[in-house]
Amino acid sequence: MKRLLFVVFVCCVCNAQAQVDSLVKVIESRKDSVNALRAYLAAMGGTTDDAVAQFHTWMKKFPQSPSFPYVLGEAYYKKRERMKVIDNWLKVLQINRKFEKIDKLWPIVVKSDWDLDIAVTPNTIDSLKRVIAANPDSLLPVRQYVFVAGNEEEATVQQLEAWEKQFPRSSAIPLGMGLNLYNVESPKAKPWLLKAAELQPRNAAVWVMLHLDAERWGDQKAAHVYMGKASAAAPEDPNYAYYYIRYYEDTDPALWRTKLYELAKRFPNDERGAQGLYEVAIHTSDTAGKIKALEQLRALYDPGKFWWSGNGMSVLYDTYLEAGETGKAMELAKAMGTDGGWDLRQSLARGMERVNALLKAKKYPEALKQLAQLKAPRNSAFASELVVLKATTMHQNGQTQAAYHKLIAVESTSPDDLVRSSLTELGAALKKSNDEVEKDIWQAREKFITQAPAFELGLYTSDKKAALADYKGKVVLLTFWFPGCGPCRAEFPHFENVLKRFQGKNIAYLAVNVDPIQDDYVLPFLQGTGYSFVPLRGTAEWAAQTYKVSGQPTNFLIDGHGRIVFSDFQISENNERKLELMIASMLARG
């Protein structure tokens, strides 16, 4: 009998392994088979270590398939392991931003509102209707009803409107619909949220949602008003106060600074206070003023406790070095410890002290050896100064040709005033004219230039289409965006600032919206902001397949011959000059 049981057990194990092997073959031949992937997980006993390891192997082997992270995330969703769901589904969205299978579930995951995803039976909708009729002021049943019935369905809208008439004082009815629509960034959210705000004027969260919706419409005036109402409804919340103050930056900079100092006094123990002082500092143009503001930030907000203060110390460190205050830079680096790249900054500050002493003594070979060991932290403002210092020291040591080529390599990929000025000096030392220096830069740049994929996309401003070929002979700034993208909206003013400096030049500015669901926002956003881009219709799938776009904003500069010269750059108030130099170089090239 025992032998028989053993044989049965072995046969079961063999059959189970055969099933797994069979599923692996199916999956690797049909990598997007969601059902096969689900069956594999079931055969492996769920999200075991072996199963998860196999999924990670497949993700590396098939990086463009969203099915692997989707199914793994789905398994974690059923187990309510939220962070693992988010980790995997973010990978899905990086591959395909409009992956339909997670459209309804993603807002639930990021909001951690699992209660919306309820079991659906033939009686679910009727049951929810009865619950809502009995408890019209309860928000959750309304949201569950909208989720199950579908917020885009006409029958759902009609039912909500009927409830509004039946329960005119219930804010849960419009808020339930508005919240669900807002979470999927639908342009249809606004009227529902306005009704909810009218019934609940002290609900700060509703005003915040209306604020963000107004930004998507390009209505900055309304956005400011709504954030003001949120701040008035919850004066104890530093987030609302901070975002309300931000709108004064462009209209009244002096008032903006004053209010940020007031914010720091009101909230001495909150990150928003530190952030306000940080922004005052980085918007201070003169070096002495910037150092003073950053030192004040350090004194009022412990950099070890407040993220914005810690971030400001990186700026203070760079500013010290640029001002030649290596001793102060060293003291700051020591005080900050060794985490977060501060060990590298300590080494850099010590090294710069030795380099300055060696250069003063004209010991160029020794200075070069010391400089070779120095590296600026990632995204450091001192990076350009260090590169130029190395090249200048090489020149002083008789290595002018090598120094010149070093700077050519930097300037060809990331134009910079300081680098270009040093290049001009080295070029003159090598008997090169400015035209010859420019030619050398472009010769190095040609190694990275690629042909831009051709396209023909619909316009929002008419029923016609625009093709890349239509802009032959022009420098094209091409950006991929969507109205709900905060970083995209933040970048647009800086594009406009730069492009105003090239008025009348051969430049085209194109913006491809990758989210058709947000089409209704596009023209009002353009009209409300007065931005100058040509709005084009696209999809996330097309952008990913054609231009390898994995997130927004993604930007390209294309020359008059249809070639991508610069890509993967983002522009802020700190580097508008970089975009200006890139465009100027391309226009000069023709």
Side-chain angles (χ1 to χ4, degrees), residues 66-139:
S67 298
F68 296 101
Y70 166 68
V71 171
L72 190 55
E74 180 186 55
Y76 285 127
Y77 185 96
K78 292 175 181 176
K79 296 172 66 177
R80 293 299 195 256
E81 295 187 38
R82 179 170 175 260
M83 295 313 298
K84 291 182 179 179
V85 180
I86 291 175
D87 180 55
N88 282 281
W89 283 1
L90 278 174
K91 294 173 184 174
V92 173
L93 295 173
Q94 287 170 356
I95 299 168
N96 180 353
R97 189 177 178 275
K98 301 308 297 179
F99 193 72
E100 292 182 359
K101 291 183 174 64
I102 62 173
D103 275 355
K104 291 178 70 174
L105 299 179
W106 180 249
I108 297 172
V109 175
V110 295
K111 296 290 182 181
S112 191
D113 200 351
W114 302 104
D115 292 334
L116 291 191
D117 188 18
I118 59 176
V120 178
T121 70
N123 299 319
T124 299
I125 289 180
D126 289 338
S127 296
L128 286 169
K129 285 181 179 179
R130 288 193 292 271
V131 171
I132 293 166
N135 303 277
D137 293 323
S138 180
L139 179 60

Side-chain angles (χ1 to χ4, degrees), residues 207-208 210-216 218-229 243-244 247:
W207 293 117
V208 171
L210 282 165
H211 150 78
L212 287 171
D213 181 74
E215 286 208 333
R216 294 169 191 157
D219 191 344
Q220 295 297 303
K221 184 177 180 180
H224 191 195
V225 170
Y226 291 144
M227 186 52 71
K229 289 181 180 292
Y243 283 112
Y244 180 64
Y247 284 91

Side-chain angles (χ1 to χ4, degrees), residues 44-293:
M44 292 292 289
T47 54
T48 63
D49 290 345
D50 288 342
V52 172
Q54 180 60 66
F55 264 74
H56 288 164
T57 299
W58 280 326
M59 285 184 223
K60 291 178 182 178
K61 188 174 183 180
F62 306 111
Q64 294 306 309
S65 172
S67 298
F68 296 101
Y70 166 68
V71 171
L72 190 55
E74 180 186 55
Y76 285 127
Y77 185 96
K78 292 175 181 176
K79 296 172 66 177
R80 293 299 195 256
E81 295 187 38
R82 179 170 175 260
M83 295 313 298
K84 291 182 179 179
V85 180
I86 291 175
D87 180 55
N88 282 281
W89 283 1
L90 278 174
K91 294 173 184 174
V92 173
L93 295 173
Q94 287 170 356
I95 299 168
N96 180 353
R97 189 177 178 275
K98 301 308 297 179
F99 193 72
E100 292 182 359
K101 291 183 174 64
I102 62 173
D103 275 355
K104 291 178 70 174
L105 299 179
W106 180 249
I108 297 172
V109 175
V110 295
K111 296 290 182 181
S112 191
D113 200 351
W114 302 104
D115 292 334
L116 291 191
D117 188 18
I118 59 176
V120 178
T121 70
N123 299 319
T124 299
I125 289 180
D126 289 338
S127 296
L128 286 169
K129 285 181 179 179
R130 288 193 292 271
V131 171
I132 293 166
N135 303 277
D137 293 323
S138 180
L139 179 60
L140 181 58
V142 178
R143 294 197 64 201
Q144 289 174 331
Y145 173 81
V146 173
F147 178 80
V148 174
N151 55 34
E152 296 290 337
E153 298 297 326
E154 185 62 29
T156 308
V157 176
Q158 290 174 355
Q159 179 61 74
L160 269 288
E161 290 173 343
W163 278 327
E164 282 186 308
K165 292 178 181 178
Q166 186 179 357
F167 309 109
R169 301 308 303 162
S170 169
S171 61
I173 304 298
L175 182 55
M177 184 62 144
L179 191 53
N180 282 27
L181 289 168
Y182 170 83
N183 282 341
V184 294
E185 298 184 355
S186 170
K188 297 177 182 179
K190 182 180 178 179
W192 297 96
L193 293 174
L194 284 171
K195 292 175 188 176
E198 184 179 350
L199 292 165
Q200 277 193 339
R202 301 300 298 173
N203 189 334
V206 177
W207 293 117
V208 171
M209 286 186 275
L210 282 165
H211 150 78
L212 287 171
D213 181 74
E215 286 208 333
R216 294 169 191 157
W217 290 105
D219 191 344
Q220 295 297 303
K221 184 177 180 180
H224 191 195
V225 170
Y226 291 144
M227 186 52 71
K229 289 181 180 292
S231 184
E236 73 286 353
D237 193 312
N239 297 298
Y240 303 152
Y242 166 78
Y243 283 112
Y244 180 64
I245 292 169
R246 282 188 64 179
Y247 284 91
Y248 291 112
E249 182 180 352
D250 295 326
T251 59
D252 193 336
L255 180 61
W256 171 75
R257 285 174 177 266
T258 299
K259 285 186 172 292
L260 285 178
Y261 277 117
E262 291 174 356
L263 180 75
K265 290 180 180 179
R266 283 178 61 198
F267 302 103
N269 298 312
D270 192 89
E271 277 287 359
R272 291 302 184 192
Q275 186 177 3
L277 292 185
Y278 170 85
E279 294 195 358
V280 168
I282 65 170
H283 283 81
T284 302
S285 56
D286 67 287
T287 300
K290 179 176 288 189
I291 288 175
K292 182 180 179 181

